[in-house]
Amino acid sequence: MMRILAFCCERGPGEAIDLAGEKRMRYPADLTLIQVPCAGRVDVAHLLKAFREGADAVVLVGCLEGNCHHIYGNIEGRKKVDRAKQILDEVGLGGQRLEMFHVASNQPFRIAELAAEMASRVERLGPNPLAVKE
Amino acid sequence: MIIGEQKRLEEISGMLDGHRGILIAGCRSCVAICLAGGEKEVAVMAESLRLISSLRGKGWEIEEAMVERQCEKEWVAELRPRIEGKDCVLSLACGVGAQTVQAMYPRVRVLPGLNTSNMGAPEESGIFVEKCGGCGDCVLHLTGGICPIARCAKSLLNGPCGGSQGGKCEVSPDTPCAWEEIYHSLESLGRLDLLEEPIPPKSWLPARDGGPRRIVRKEAVLTEEQKRLKGGKA
């Protein structure tokens, strides 16, 4: 079983997750959700630590651009994802294992879509070698 | 402030080869402002190196520490308990900070995690620009508060040169022509008359050409008795 970790803003994406649950939508059990107050709260170090602890893929899920409760937390989050991708490429783990998604509260289907997208990337890239070592 | 930027991970990884106990030491002053060696940058560097260690079996044991100002002995003294037992310190401070740590802990290897670049200022969020050449003989009073030594590619004292095009320097379209800026600054100050007097050739003796510089403020230098009273701490 692969491990996909999602840091989700508790606002738009958090509500989308609730809605997905209410509607009994299915998403892969490989997805572990961590709610954060805002996508901008997640740091590059948090994203890297997730990989060091064995995540096969990590996503940061923020609100749609222009819809951030904290004005531009989602844009800050995306910049941190870009920086972490660069580091993952440099260390040889592959920046493709990390992605930023923007999800609105009325888009519960996007949660399943992003999980499927990351699962297909992990299938292509193989498991995180640090998870295999455990 | 001093502007620096992190070395590439591959270079740092190469320097760390052969070491085991590693302390990454950041600095809360200049390099924190230029986002190269502050608390967050130290955390990211530590995680990046831990990833490299795990992926490539380096066996590094990495800890993180912060110092208020790595260029001052008083603050660097606080690192002592954190440095004990370590093979090396990866300093994410400027070259001054790294040298201060090395001087205080001569038995531990100090490695530079940053390339120290210049004396400058944040132009806007994330953009840092050189402002001062540290020439030791300031001429800002003649140039409308704009340093021709640092900000003119040729350090001209009576510019601009023929490479000034549309307010930009021929070196790069992102670099403003310092002498165009000097003209506009003097114009808004109502002191264009300063341009009528050529600035004579500059003495470079107070600059780096005279070797490492040393400034002594006699009133602040401790007497031998004061040093003894302070327990040898100057």
Side-chain angles (χ1 to χ4, degrees):
Chain A
M1 181 174 153
M2 64 180 72
R3 294 202 284 183
I4 303 171
L5 184 68
F7 292 101
C8 290
C9 164
E10 66 184 7
R11 298 212 173 242
E15 287 178 22
I17 291 161
D18 284 347
L19 198 55
E22 278 175 30
K23 289 182 173 294
R24 301 274 188 267
M25 288 181 172
R26 288 179 177 274
Y27 60 80
D30 310 325
L31 188 68
T32 304
L33 298 161
I34 296 178
Q35 286 211 0
V36 289
C38 176
R41 174 63 189 88
V42 175
D43 257 329
V44 177
H46 297 135
L47 300 169
L48 298 178
K49 188 175 181 190
F51 286 105
R52 184 164 60 85
E53 303 218 339
D56 295 303
V58 176
V59 292
L60 178 60
V61 193
C63 297
L64 298 187
E65 277 188 45
N67 279 5
C68 176
H69 181 75
H70 304 282
I71 317 295
Y72 49 71
N74 48 0
I75 297 170
E76 288 297 312
R78 195 176 62 217
K79 287 195 277 189
K80 289 171 188 174
V81 165
D82 288 345
R83 173 75 184 117
K85 275 169 165 281
Q86 195 185 4
I87 293 171
L88 291 170
D89 280 332
E90 279 185 60
V91 303
L93 207 50
Q96 285 185 313
R97 293 180 184 275
L98 174 64
E99 202 54 77
M100 172 89 196
F101 291 92
H102 297 275
V103 175
S105 56
N106 62 355
Q107 294 178 317
F109 56 92
R110 291 277 290 140
I111 303 298
E113 279 177 5
L114 68 87
E117 162 67 22
M118 296 314 286
S120 86
R121 287 193 198 185
V122 173
E123 273 172 22
R124 199 170 66 241
L125 296 166
N128 178 350
L130 300 178
V132 173
K133 279 181 189 172
E134 281 177 2
Chain B
M1 61 185 256
I2 293 180
I3 314 283
E5 60 182 342
Q6 286 186 0
K7 285 180 178 285
R8 289 184 59 80
L9 279 174
E10 275 307 316
E11 187 180 352
I12 292 175
S13 169
M15 287 193 291
L16 291 174
D17 272 341
H19 298 91
R20 190 171 182 84
I22 299 161
L23 181 72
I24 304 179
C27 177
R28 289 198 176 95
S29 296
C30 313
V31 292
I33 306 299
C34 68
L35 308 174
E39 202 143 4
K40 286 197 173 185
E41 292 75 38
V42 166
V44 172
M45 178 61 73
E47 276 307 328
S48 306
L49 293 175
R50 285 181 189 124
L51 269 177
I52 290 178
S53 177
S54 302
L55 287 165
R56 303 179 195 172
K58 302 274 190 187
W60 294 332
E61 290 163 9
I62 296 167
E63 288 184 27
E64 303 157 44
M66 289 304 299
V67 177
E68 201 62 30
R69 280 196 289 279
Q70 229 180 87
C71 53
E72 290 189 39
K73 292 177 185 173
E74 288 83 350
W75 295 107
V76 176
E78 293 179 357
L79 279 180
R80 188 169 300 280
R82 304 296 309 280
I83 285 182
E84 271 170 22
K86 300 287 185 301
D87 296 336
C88 72
V89 175
L90 178 67
S91 169
L92 291 195
C94 66
V96 185
Q99 290 183 63
T100 306
V101 177
Q102 184 66 84
M104 288 191 69
Y105 305 100
R107 292 177 188 278
V108 180
R109 198 162 174 228
V110 178
L111 307 169
L114 303 189
N115 290 323
T116 307
S117 173
N118 63 74
M119 284 181 281
E123 191 77 352
E124 59 181 87
S125 178
I127 299 176
F128 308 94
V129 180
E130 184 167 15
K131 299 279 184 184
C132 174
C135 68
D137 183 18
C138 192
V139 293
L140 287 174
H141 58 300
L142 301 173
T143 57
I146 291 160
C147 175
I149 307 302
R151 294 166 70 177
C152 168
K154 293 175 177 170
S155 297
L156 291 179
L157 286 171
N158 297 284
C161 71
S164 174
Q165 301 287 324
K168 301 291 181 190
C169 176
E170 65 184 340
V171 166
S172 157
D174 294 330
T175 305
C177 168
W179 274 97
E180 170 117 355
E181 294 198 324
I182 289 168
Y183 178 86
H184 290 305
S185 175
L186 290 174
E187 187 180 39
S188 63
L189 289 166
R191 291 304 310 269
L192 283 174
D193 58 294
L194 288 170
L195 289 177
E196 287 169 18
E197 278 297 312
I199 302 175
K202 189 176 173 63
S203 165
W204 291 97
L205 278 177
R208 185 65 184 77
D209 303 38
R213 290 164 282 181
R214 180 185 179 92
I215 290 173
V216 178
R217 292 285 301 269
K218 282 185 181 171
E219 69 275 24
V221 176
L222 299 184
T223 63
E224 287 306 316
E225 189 182 357
Q226 281 176 312
K227 285 180 188 172
R228 202 167 48 250
L229 288 169
K230 285 187 78 173
K233 291 175 190 166

